[in-house]
Amino acid sequence: MSNIFEALQLAEKERENVQERQAVTSPEEKRVPLKTTVKEPVRADKYPLQNVGPTIETEMIALYQNIDFVLPDLPQRAIQFISSHEGEGVSTVVREFARQAAVVMGKSVLIVDAAHRNPSQHIFFNIPPDYGWKDAMKNGDPVENAVYKAGNQNLYLSPLVPHTTLSPHIYDFAATSKLLTDFKKKFDLILIDSSSATTSPDCIALTRSVDGVILVIEAEKTRWQVAEAVRDKIHKNGGNILGIVLNKRRFYIPDSVYKWL
């Protein structure tokens, strides 16, 4: 797990190097055609910059396979996705992971929207948030009352109703555990879209009720020290971090290629 934080440090240094190179390049230099500064033609087959990174589909499939490897004895799983700050792309990552698990892996998948600050999954799937999972938990109703079909035949959503009277800062371990147990009876995979660790205290508390946690880090924004602090909080709470998604990456030209420009 420490390798990802080392990678974040290296990424920050590389980004700083790119910014320094851009800063010392004058507008006139930027307008000079590349061919005047290249000693020999740069062959596309030698430096395929257009294919520098994997697609999000392949990354999500790889993430699913890693989770499958780490949790082989759990046929039904509740996985929480969390970030350190708002806007790091947790909701998008959850949707894409859910889509791949449902379509490619053929699993029945339920997205549980727990982003208290900004619940948005119901907007994306065009589902009126009339009744959500917190209402079912508060009223003691069957969980299926708070589940809606979300397009694909294997994909479902349990929204978070913004006007619910249950405070988002009251975490009930027993009630949450029962809710997840009930969901597992009906779905192979329960994916929890959480608020960030800095804006919603109960999202950290929730990490001990799920089978595993995926930490989402925005590559161009989140400092490695901040991500490391969130990791430590999750571990201290008894959460099980299964992996890290490095989101919104930009693939900078490496020095070995940049010297040709």
Side-chain angles (χ1 to χ4, degrees):
M1 189 66 68
S2 60
N3 291 339
I4 188 64
F5 297 102
E6 294 175 1
L8 284 174
Q9 295 179 53
L10 292 174
E12 288 184 10
K13 291 180 181 178
E14 181 61 28
R15 188 164 65 250
E16 291 171 357
N17 291 338
V18 170
Q19 292 171 346
E20 289 176 1
R21 290 196 292 262
Q22 292 174 341
V24 299
T25 304
S26 66
E28 290 74 15
E29 291 174 322
K30 290 181 180 179
R31 286 196 292 268
V32 175
L34 293 180
K35 64 181 181 180
T36 64
T37 58
V38 176
K39 298 179 181 179
E40 62 181 44
V42 179
R43 294 176 11 229
D45 60 338
K46 187 176 182 180
Y47 301 110
L49 298 182
Q50 70 275 18
N51 296 318
V52 291
T55 65
I56 188 171
E57 290 83 4
T58 58
E59 289 194 338
M60 292 300 101
I61 292 174
L63 178 60
Y64 180 91
Q65 292 172 336
N66 289 336
I67 293 174
D68 203 37
F69 177 79
V70 176
L71 301 175
D73 300 325
L74 295 178
Q76 287 78 37
R77 302 155 183 167
I79 309 297
Q80 180 181 0
F81 289 72
I82 187 175
S83 65
S84 56
H85 298 293
E86 291 296 314
E88 296 194 71
V90 172
S91 297
T92 302
V93 171
V94 168
R95 284 196 298 268
E96 188 58 36
F97 183 78
R99 188 174 72 87
Q100 296 302 321
V103 176
V104 179
M105 302 302 177
K107 301 297 182 180
S108 58
V109 183
L110 173 68
I111 297 176
V112 178
D113 195 342
H116 296 107
R117 290 280 181 169
N118 185 29
S120 60
Q121 297 290 4
H122 66 282
I123 298 175
F124 182 87
F125 290 109
N126 194 27
I127 295 174
D130 298 327
Y131 192 87
W133 61 271
K134 276 201 170 182
D135 298 295
M137 188 166 64
K138 175 176 177 290
N139 300 331
D141 294 336
V143 292
E144 53 265 28
N145 291 3
V147 172
Y148 303 81
K149 195 170 181 58
N152 183 276
Q153 61 179 356
N154 292 328
L155 186 57
Y156 298 82
L157 171 68
S158 185
L160 178 65
V161 179
H163 61 260
T164 182
T165 57
L166 185 61
S167 171
H169 301 300
I170 297 178
Y171 178 74
D172 189 327
F173 179 81
T176 302
S177 297
K178 182 181 183 306
L179 181 77
L180 294 177
T181 299
D182 290 342
F183 278 146
K184 285 182 181 180
K185 294 176 182 177
K186 301 179 180 299
F187 300 96
D188 299 320
L189 200 58
I190 297 94
L191 307 179
I192 302 173
D193 177 5
S194 297
S195 290
S196 69
T198 56
T199 60
S200 181
D202 62 341
C203 70
I204 291 292
L206 179 61
T207 60
R208 69 174 177 267
S209 297
V210 297
D211 299 309
V213 179
I214 301 297
L215 183 58
V216 179
I217 298 174
E218 183 176 344
E220 298 297 316
K221 178 180 179 182
T222 308
R223 307 286 300 182
W224 66 268
Q225 298 94 331
V226 175
E228 204 168 37
V230 174
R231 178 203 63 181
D232 293 342
K233 287 182 180 179
I234 293 172
H235 283 162
K236 185 177 181 180
N237 186 63
N240 178 27
I241 297 182
L242 302 177
I244 295 175
V245 173
L246 195 59
N247 198 28
K248 303 181 183 181
R249 284 178 293 174
R250 294 181 183 178
F251 295 91
Y252 294 102
I253 301 175
D255 289 331
S256 59
V257 176
Y258 188 87
K259 68 181 181 180
W260 290 91
L261 303 182

